[in-house]
């Protein structure tokens, strides 16, 4: 159960074996529940996890080095180099962005942001744009705006322009939906203010 919060791909093989074959039903159920959290695969306890692991062992092998690296970064004394970060794609390092955008209390979000700032900011442009695009959580979109400011990629102005265009489109869609439902449209004033302030700096 603790691994559901703190685990990664390094645990998949062992958990799959436990979920499939452990002699105690409670242990099989707990392992299957943990794997559902870690992988998104919806199987219950039983042999389905044996077959799942056969199909995903190669994927885990690819993720092992990444997950070991991310685990090392939990040590506040471990400062990664830009070359070490460059060994992984931004897609592989998205857990760092997830943490930096998290509204959870604790030291890890600030630590993840500090690590991201050590990387080449140009690498993160497409990931930042993707995180903002079609994101239904306004507070997270505001967080992405702040993250662009913090990382300062070379095309920050272009990113902000793309964000502004999407926000205009979202406003129009929300007004149309509210009119059809005879309701008050959503107010994106806080997001628009954050974006305007970022573009002005």
């Amino acid at each position: 159960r603790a691994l559901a919060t703190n685990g990664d791909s390094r645990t998949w093989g062992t958990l799959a074996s436990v979920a499939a074959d452990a002699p105690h039903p409670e242990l099989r159920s707990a392992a299957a529940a943990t794997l559902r959290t870690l992988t998104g695969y919806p199987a219950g306890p039983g042999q389905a996890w044996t077959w799942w692991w056969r199909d995903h062992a190669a994927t885990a092998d690819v993720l092992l080095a990444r997950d070991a690296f991310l685990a090392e970064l939990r040590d506040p004394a471990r400062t990664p180099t830009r070359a070490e970060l460059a060994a992984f794609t931004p897609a592989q390092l998205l857990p760092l962005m997830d943490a930096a955008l998290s509204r959870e209390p604790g030291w890890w979000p600030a630590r993840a942001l500090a690590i991201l700032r050590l990387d080449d900011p140009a690498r993160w442009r497409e990931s930042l744009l993707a995180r903002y695009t079609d994101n239904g959580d306004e507070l997270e979109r505001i967080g992405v705006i702040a993250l662009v400011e913090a990382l300062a990629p070379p095309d920050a102005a272009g990113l902000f322009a793309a964000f502004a265009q999407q926000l205009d489109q979202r406003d129009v869609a929300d007004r149309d939906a509210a009119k059809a439902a005879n309701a008050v449209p959503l107010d994106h004033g806080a997001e628009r203010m954050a974006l305007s302030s970022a573009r002005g700096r």
Side-chain angles (χ1 to χ4, degrees):
R1 292 190 184 97
L3 288 171
T5 300
N6 299 305
D8 54 46
S9 67
R10 294 171 296 168
T11 69
W12 289 0
T14 300
L15 284 170
S17 177
V18 172
D21 298 317
H24 300 293
E26 296 86 355
L27 192 53
R28 289 197 302 272
S29 294
T34 296
L35 280 168
R36 288 195 297 273
T37 299
L38 293 177
T39 69
Y41 187 66
Q47 288 303 313
W49 287 108
T50 299
W51 299 107
W52 178 90
W53 177 240
R54 289 178 185 174
D55 290 340
H56 291 82
T59 301
D61 284 343
V62 172
L63 295 177
L64 282 175
R66 188 280 308 266
D67 287 337
F69 179 61
L70 291 178
E72 288 177 15
L73 298 181
R74 293 277 182 164
D75 178 357
R78 172 73 161 88
T79 302
T81 65
R82 181 169 284 196
E84 287 178 309
L85 291 164
F88 302 96
T89 67
Q92 291 171 323
L93 294 177
L94 279 180
L96 290 174
M97 182 187 286
D98 293 339
L101 291 172
S102 170
R103 297 188 290 274
E104 295 296 321
W107 63 274
W108 178 238
R111 165 77 170 155
L113 176 58
I115 293 167
L116 285 174
R117 295 182 77 171
L118 296 173
D119 199 2
D120 177 4
R123 297 203 314 142
W124 288 89
R125 184 191 188 282
E126 295 307 314
S127 296
L128 291 162
L129 182 59
R131 183 56 61 93
Y132 187 87
T133 301
D134 298 326
N135 190 328
D137 186 333
E138 183 174 44
L139 286 178
E140 184 167 306
R141 292 196 304 270
I142 292 173
V144 173
I145 294 168
L147 189 53
V148 173
E149 284 195 278
L151 300 182
D155 188 30
L159 274 172
F160 289 141
F163 292 174
Q165 183 178 25
Q166 290 183 33
L167 183 53
D168 289 341
Q169 293 170 352
R170 188 173 287 113
D171 270 336
V172 171
D174 286 344
R175 285 198 299 270
D176 290 346
K179 184 177 181 180
N182 195 26
V184 177
L186 293 174
D187 177 19
H188 298 292
E191 183 178 357
R192 193 168 293 282
M193 184 179 298
L195 184 53
S196 176
S197 176
R199 297 181 79 181
R201 282 196 280 269

